[in-house]
């Protein structure tokens, strides 16, 4: 008996739940069952705060907790219902380590939540011997507990579109805080009115504080931005403009009939010249030697990047880009047209030179989450998973 009490004392230490006593420990196959009790016989009424010891009834629930030494742990918790004389009401005792109606402790749910973010529902489900719906439900529960309703202060905001599924034509709009490098909203549409509807839920002072909105060249964003973020300057994100030029250069490369095939030609052409080592430069020269048109296109691409690197204000940026557009007209038909249409907003980049890596980084991270997720059951599920990875 004495030995038992002593052992339980150590188990109580181990499970680290103040106010709780461990009455017995039972091991069954791979699992440990801890029968709990409480140190206090009186609890405070949630309505009036007065302490009462008038126990009406007790019902035991089984709740999953964090594993101990690789073994599953279940807590058998007596849920006590008391009667408060002052309020003339029954109430069930509130416990800080489990939420009403849940079958998992809070800390276990937090642990599952973190693991889902680090891997995927599929993987956690297998490792924890839970069902897909249990893992997904826990993730949702913790997310609801943590989510921020208001964005807080966002000065530089990015709007971007990503495909719902790989190669899919359905898009979602992702909203990010470019200064913090965080995703702040995901919208199930790329239609202006629908996006506006979601964005307008933010209070006016939050929207007015946005100074700059970065976008790509495809969405019909300008009107929407004026309406939602009245003080914002529209900037076409540098990453998207450079991508338009690079895509066009790659198209030109595909049209060339090479006599000598050189491995990695695409990569050599798209990479910044200043980042190439001697060996790379030699290979690049071997590629360019084979087509005058490709050489010209390549030089124009490098010139374009140079303008981005060296320009200090929108006005001179505009002049340099205009000059470039004239020279590039005959070679870069597609990109020239797109850039000309957005020249003013492209040049707004030079106002504050918002880094072009942030949107690209968020984009890549979302793609990775999508790949690991093996699909989502619905949009809300996808949105939540995305957002939780950035908090
Ligand atoms: Zn009361």
């Amino acid at each position: 008996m004495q030995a038992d009490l002593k052992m339980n004392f150590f188990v109580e230490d181990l499970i680290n739940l103040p106010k709780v006593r461990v009455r017995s420990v039972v091991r069954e196959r791979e699992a440990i069952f801890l029968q709990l009790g409480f140190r206090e016989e009186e609890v405070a009424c949630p309505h009036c705060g007065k302490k009462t010891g008038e126990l009406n009834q007790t019902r035991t629930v089984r709740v999953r907790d964090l594993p101990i030494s690789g073994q599953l742990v279940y807590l058998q918790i007596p849920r006590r219902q008391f009667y408060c004389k002052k309020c003339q009401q029954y109430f069930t005792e509130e416990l800080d380590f489990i939420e009403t109606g849940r079958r998992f402790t809070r800390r276990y749910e937090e642990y599952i939540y973190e693991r889902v973010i680090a891997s995927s529902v599929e993987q956690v489900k297998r490792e924890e011997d839970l069902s897909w719906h249990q893992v997904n439900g826990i993730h949702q529960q913790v997310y609801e507990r943590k989510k921020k309703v208001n964005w807080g202060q966002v000065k530089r905001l990015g709007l971007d579109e990503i495909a719902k599924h790989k190669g899919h034509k359905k898009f979602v709009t992702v909203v990010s805080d470019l200064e913090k490098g965080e995703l702040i909203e995901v919208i199930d549409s790329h239609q202006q009115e629908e996006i506006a509807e979601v964005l307008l839920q933010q209070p006016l002072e939050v929207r007015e504080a946005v100074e700059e909105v970065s976008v790509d060249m495809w969405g019909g964003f300008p009107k929407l931005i004026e309406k939602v973020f009245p003080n914002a300057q529209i900037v076409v994100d540098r990453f998207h403009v450079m991508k338009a030029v690079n895509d066009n250069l790659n198209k030109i490369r595909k049209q060339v009939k090479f006599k000598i095939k050189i491995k990695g030609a695409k990569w050599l052409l798209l990479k910044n010249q200043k980042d190439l080592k001697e060996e790379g430069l030699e290979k690049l020269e071997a590629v360019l030697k084979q087509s005058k048109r490709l050489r010209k296109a390549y030089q124009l691409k490098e010139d374009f990047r140079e303008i981005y690197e060296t320009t200090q204000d929108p006005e001179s940026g505009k002049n340099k880009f205009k000059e470039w557009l004239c020279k590039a007209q005959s070679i870069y038909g597609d990109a020239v047209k797109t850039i000309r249409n957005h020249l003013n907003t492209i040049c707004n980049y030079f106002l504050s030179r918002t880094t072009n890596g942030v949107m690209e980084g968020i984009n890549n991270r979302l793609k990775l989450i999508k790949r690991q997720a093996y699909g989502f059951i619905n949009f809300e599920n996808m949105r939540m998973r995305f957002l939780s990875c950035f908090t």
Side-chain angles (χ1 to χ4, degrees):
M1 196 59 200
Q2 195 65 28
D4 267 1
L5 276 177
K6 207 165 187 180
M7 188 195 79
N8 287 353
F9 172 75
F10 287 127
V11 174
E12 278 163 16
D13 249 9
L14 197 64
I15 67 163
N16 188 27
L17 295 172
K19 297 182 195 162
V20 162
R21 307 202 55 158
V22 176
R23 300 207 178 282
S24 71
V25 181
V26 176
R27 284 188 58 184
E28 257 175 52
R29 271 170 272 152
E30 302 290 291
I32 300 172
F33 295 86
L34 302 174
Q35 177 66 50
L36 303 187
F38 295 102
R39 292 179 195 280
E40 304 285 334
E41 289 186 350
E42 286 193 324
V43 299
C45 163
H47 311 292
C48 68
K50 199 175 178 298
K51 281 207 165 183
T52 172
E54 209 144 325
L55 187 62
N56 180 53
Q57 57 172 347
T58 300
R59 177 174 60 92
T60 300
V61 297
R62 176 180 293 186
V63 170
R64 178 102 174 245
D65 194 21
L66 291 170
I68 295 177
S69 304
Q71 298 167 94
L72 305 191
V73 173
Y74 291 94
L75 307 178
Q76 317 256 43
I77 306 171
R79 302 295 275 128
R80 301 186 291 183
Q81 192 189 52
F82 289 91
Y83 181 73
C84 174
K85 275 186 190 154
K86 196 178 165 201
C87 301
Q88 299 192 320
Q89 273 190 58
Y90 294 99
F91 67 89
T92 301
E93 175 183 18
E94 280 176 17
L95 300 171
D96 53 4
F97 58 93
I98 171 174
E99 253 171 279
T100 311
R102 302 294 297 168
R103 287 293 175 266
F104 310 96
T105 58
R106 268 178 197 266
R107 61 190 184 187
Y108 183 70
E109 291 185 324
E110 300 266 339
Y111 163 78
I112 294 297
Y113 177 81
E114 295 300 332
R115 285 186 49 200
V116 168
I117 290 167
S119 59
S120 66
V121 174
E122 284 293 322
Q123 194 172 335
V124 175
K125 168 196 121 170
R126 278 195 303 271
E127 290 171 2
E128 287 293 313
D129 194 25
L130 293 166
S131 73
W132 195 94
H133 285 282
Q134 280 175 317
V135 177
N136 194 59
I138 289 173
H139 185 275
Q140 197 159 350
Q141 180 79 11
V142 178
Y143 175 77
E144 288 299 321
R145 228 183 276 155
K146 289 186 177 210
K147 78 171 172 189
K148 289 178 283 181
V149 183
N150 188 320
W151 294 344
Q153 208 189 33
V154 181
K155 264 161 81 181
R156 292 183 188 160
L157 183 133
L159 287 178
D160 204 358
E161 291 170 353
I162 61 167
K164 260 190 181 173
H165 310 285
K166 202 172 180 210
H168 214 280
K169 287 249 161 61
K170 277 196 177 145
F171 290 90
V172 298
T173 302
V174 297
V175 187
S176 37
D177 179 335
L178 296 180
E179 280 191 322
K180 292 193 189 124
E182 270 176 15
L183 181 74
I184 50 180
E185 186 53 279
V186 185
I187 303 166
D188 191 14
S189 171
H190 66 303
Q191 304 295 322
Q192 283 207 44
E193 301 91 85
E194 288 168 7
I195 297 170
E197 204 177 297
V198 176
L199 296 176
L200 285 167
Q201 289 169 10
Q202 291 297 315
L204 184 63
E205 69 258 30
V206 168
R207 292 186 283 113
E208 279 180 341
V210 175
E211 293 170 8
E212 188 184 291
V213 179
S214 285
V215 294
D216 62 27
M217 294 181 284
W218 295 272
F221 288 130
K223 271 190 194 144
L224 162 85
I225 294 166
E226 271 169 41
K227 184 172 157 194
V228 180
F229 305 108
N231 300 324
Q233 195 68 252
I234 301 168
V235 179
V236 174
D237 191 65
R238 175 174 164 178
F239 156 66
H240 290 293
V241 184
M242 212 55 228
K243 190 174 178 300
V245 173
N246 277 333
D247 286 351
N248 208 154
L249 175 61
N250 194 39
K251 198 168 140 193
I252 296 166
R253 175 189 66 89
K254 285 180 184 163
Q255 291 161 351
V256 175
K257 291 200 169 59
F258 290 103
K259 287 203 185 86
I260 308 157
K261 287 237 188 298
I262 285 155
K263 237 183 158 185
K266 177 184 171 185
W267 182 84
L268 289 164
L269 288 165
L270 299 188
K271 192 137 174 99
N272 299 340
Q273 193 173 53
K274 67 172 169 53
D275 297 334
L276 291 178
K277 302 246 165 57
E278 204 173 319
E279 194 193 346
L281 289 170
E282 278 170 23
K283 275 190 178 174
L284 175 68
E285 181 51 34
V287 175
L288 296 177
K289 212 158 60 180
Q290 303 185 59
S291 161
K292 273 189 186 156
R293 185 158 177 264
L294 187 62
R295 189 189 288 280
K296 194 168 174 206
Y298 177 77
Q299 196 47 56
L300 282 164
K301 185 270 287 183
E302 281 294 307
D303 292 348
F304 193 82
R305 194 174 53 76
E306 194 62 22
I307 297 174
Y308 261 125
E309 293 290 337
T310 57
T311 307
Q312 299 304 331
D313 65 286
E315 214 38 54
S316 50
K318 208 168 176 178
N319 291 332
K320 288 183 201 172
F321 277 139
K322 272 184 179 163
E323 211 179 298
W324 184 90
L325 289 166
C326 285
K327 280 195 282 179
Q329 178 84 46
S330 61
I331 290 189
Y332 278 108
D334 301 347
V336 163
K337 202 172 156 210
T338 319
I339 292 166
R340 192 164 274 150
N341 284 338
H342 296 87
L343 195 57
N344 287 330
T345 40
I346 287 174
C347 291
N348 281 344
Y349 168 79
F350 300 113
L351 286 170
S352 56
R353 304 185 66 91
T354 295
T355 155
N356 70 332
V358 182
M359 258 167 125
E360 192 184 5
I362 292 174
N363 224 307
N364 290 339
R365 203 160 153 205
L366 295 179
K367 273 188 212 154
L368 184 73
I369 300 164
K370 265 199 307 190
R371 254 208 320 273
Q372 288 173 337
Y374 307 95
F376 300 99
I377 40 171
N378 53 31
F379 169 75
E380 203 37 56
N381 192 230
M382 174 188 202
R383 172 178 175 273
M384 196 183 65
R385 201 81 56 72
F386 279 173
L387 286 171
S388 70
C389 289
F390 287 86
T391 46

